[in-house]
Amino acid sequence: MEPDLDAFAADLQARVLKDAREVYSEEVVRRWLDPPHAGVIGNPDAHARVTGPCGDTIEVFLAIREGHIASACFVTDGCAPTIASGSMACDLALGKTIAGLREVTQEGILRALGGLPEANLHCALLAAMTLHEAARDWAAHDEQHGEET
Ligand code: FES
């Protein structure tokens, strides 16, 4: 990259980060830039893909061991708050039972993220709904689980 282009890219990145920090909490910015739990689980024990009214989609993958969430991953085509919400939803899901996933709510995700702007409150709702849908996916295949987890 040409030096001028390097400087331009660095300046642009700094401005984008500055703007983001004016709108979002540090936790949201941190998870947006380097989201824990981003990715997929091959052959997951439970899975859900939900598209919100805004058109953004979150997909959640769960690995379940002895009735508890051993691993949770997500992918999304959404914006920074959606990424942060998906990441936090997976964090909050870890160690819970399938029934316990109901405790991961929009409010809990928002609290853990340090809040979101009014226009992005639904991002946390979409993340919680996707997790709950994954719990339903598990329940729908309940008879197949047997002693496997
Ligand atoms: S803007 Fe719609 S889920 Fe984030």
Side-chain angles (χ1 to χ4, degrees):
M1 199 182 286
E2 295 295 319
D4 283 350
L5 207 50
D6 282 344
F8 174 76
D11 183 53
L12 187 63
Q13 187 177 21
R15 279 195 228 184
V16 168
L17 270 177
K18 181 176 174 293
D19 288 350
R21 288 196 163 100
E22 285 172 6
V23 178
Y24 305 127
S25 71
E26 195 52 41
E27 185 66 24
V28 170
V29 172
R30 188 178 73 80
R31 285 179 184 267
W32 166 47
L33 296 176
D34 187 16
H37 311 296
V40 303
I41 296 173
N43 196 23
D45 296 310
H47 167 255
R49 184 176 197 273
V50 178
T51 300
C54 66
D56 289 347
T57 298
I58 298 181
E59 205 165 351
V60 165
F61 306 82
L62 301 176
I64 300 161
R65 297 291 174 268
E66 296 177 359
H68 292 76
I69 310 303
S71 183
C73 287
F74 78 101
V75 292
T76 181
D77 59 3
C79 55
T82 318
I83 295 168
S85 295
S87 173
M88 186 57 83
C90 289
D91 243 4
L92 296 175
L94 288 179
K96 289 200 163 37
T97 61
I98 282 287
L101 290 180
R102 281 197 300 267
E103 296 164 16
V104 181
T105 61
Q106 176 190 28
E107 293 74 22
I109 293 169
L110 288 170
R111 200 176 318 115
L113 287 175
L116 283 173
E118 184 78 24
N120 294 109
L121 296 178
H122 73 276
C123 306
L125 179 61
L126 180 63
M129 285 172 56
T130 310
L131 206 51
H132 300 168
E133 190 57 35
R136 278 191 283 276
D137 176 58
W138 169 265
H141 300 97
D142 201 26
E143 69 281 356
Q144 297 172 11
H145 301 141
E147 298 298 313
E148 71 195 30
T149 56

